[in-house]
């Protein structure tokens, strides 16, 4: 079991004028459980809980922008592994989410980002001995509200991001 927490104020200054106070509180906890079904098969489950408090009190190009968001994420993963001799096979299913970056909030006060979410399915195989190792991995990632660069430039002459939906 693992726990991490951070709390503090980060001040950003531009040309000698305080433009943004960003108090950040962040904490997370992680745990993993494994069960050996048989000598060759292992089932595992892990999970992370993450809490983030994000606050922006204006910035140089938009001093009226006030952001005060709390995020709580649960990121679970389940998988199974087969291991016999020189061969390992594995498959997992995971869900992950994360808060937007500070720059994403500053892009536009009318276009505020949502947290990114990801469903990930993976399968792979590995063959190894003392002389060689051969491995391969297949995966399918289904994003929701993924923030990607669009090629557009925003009103501050910076690259614009937008939320992209998977089909």
């Amino acid at each position: 079991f693992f726990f991490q927490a951070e709390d503090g104020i980060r001040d950003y200054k531009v040309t000698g004028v305080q433009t943004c106070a960003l108090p950040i509180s962040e904490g997370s906890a992680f745990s993993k459980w494994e069960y050996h079904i048989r000598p060759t098969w292992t089932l595992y489950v892990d999970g992370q809980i993450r809490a983030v408090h994000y606050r922006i009190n204006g910035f140089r190009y938009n001093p009226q922008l006030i952001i005060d968001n709390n995020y709580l994420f649960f990121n679970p993963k389940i998988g199974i592994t087969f291991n016999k001799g020189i061969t390992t096979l594995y498959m997992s299913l995971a869900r992950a989410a994360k808060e937007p970056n500070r720059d994403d909030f500053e892009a536009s006060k009318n276009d505020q980002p949502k947290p990114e979410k990801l469903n990930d399915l993976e399968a792979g195989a590995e063959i190894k001995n003392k002389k060689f190792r051969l491995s391969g991995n297949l995966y399918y990632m289904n994003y929701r509200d993924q923030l990607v660069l669009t090629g557009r430039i925003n009103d501050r002459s910076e690259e614009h991001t937008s939320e992209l939906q998977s089909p």
Side-chain angles (χ1 to χ4, degrees):
F1 184 77
F2 176 74
F3 178 76
Q4 171 185 346
E6 177 182 332
D7 191 13
I9 296 188
R10 299 178 185 167
D11 292 327
Y12 295 87
K13 297 184 182 211
V14 177
T15 63
V17 177
Q18 182 171 337
T19 58
C20 176
L22 181 60
I24 296 178
S25 298
E26 179 176 342
S28 64
F30 175 84
S31 185
K32 183 170 185 172
W33 173 80
E34 287 187 355
Y35 178 70
H36 297 280
I37 302 168
R38 295 183 176 232
T40 55
W41 290 93
T42 303
L43 176 68
Y44 66 91
V45 177
D46 64 46
Q48 177 198 40
I49 296 175
R50 187 159 177 263
V52 179
H53 179 206
Y54 224 144
R55 184 171 21 196
I56 298 175
N57 296 321
F59 65 100
R60 181 176 165 187
Y61 297 103
N62 188 352
Q64 291 81 28
L65 180 65
I66 306 297
I67 303 291
D68 191 0
N69 292 346
N70 289 301
Y71 300 101
L72 181 62
F73 302 112
F74 176 59
N75 299 319
K77 181 176 183 180
I78 186 169
I80 191 161
T81 302
F82 172 81
N83 193 342
K84 187 169 184 179
I86 65 170
T87 304
T88 301
L89 305 172
Y90 55 90
M91 182 164 29
S92 67
L93 178 63
R95 167 91 171 170
K98 85 175 237 357
E99 76 282 358
N101 295 323
R102 179 176 180 263
D103 289 346
D104 297 322
F105 285 108
E106 293 179 357
S108 167
K109 78 175 183 181
N110 298 326
D111 187 20
Q112 289 299 299
K114 298 175 190 169
E116 296 178 282
K117 296 172 236 31
L118 165 68
N119 291 317
D120 179 45
L121 176 63
E122 296 192 28
E126 181 178 90
I127 300 172
K128 69 178 178 179
N129 65 22
K130 293 179 181 178
K131 295 183 180 182
F132 74 92
R133 176 181 169 186
L134 177 65
S135 63
N137 192 36
L138 298 172
Y139 59 91
Y140 172 72
M141 300 171 110
N142 184 349
Y143 278 96
R144 292 285 181 240
D145 303 316
Q146 181 185 19
L147 293 166
V148 295
L149 295 173
T150 63
R152 295 186 345 217
I153 303 297
N154 67 16
D155 57 354
R156 296 184 351 238
S157 299
E158 295 177 352
E159 294 178 325
H160 182 267
T161 59
S162 182
E163 293 164 353
L164 176 69
Q165 300 294 324
S166 291

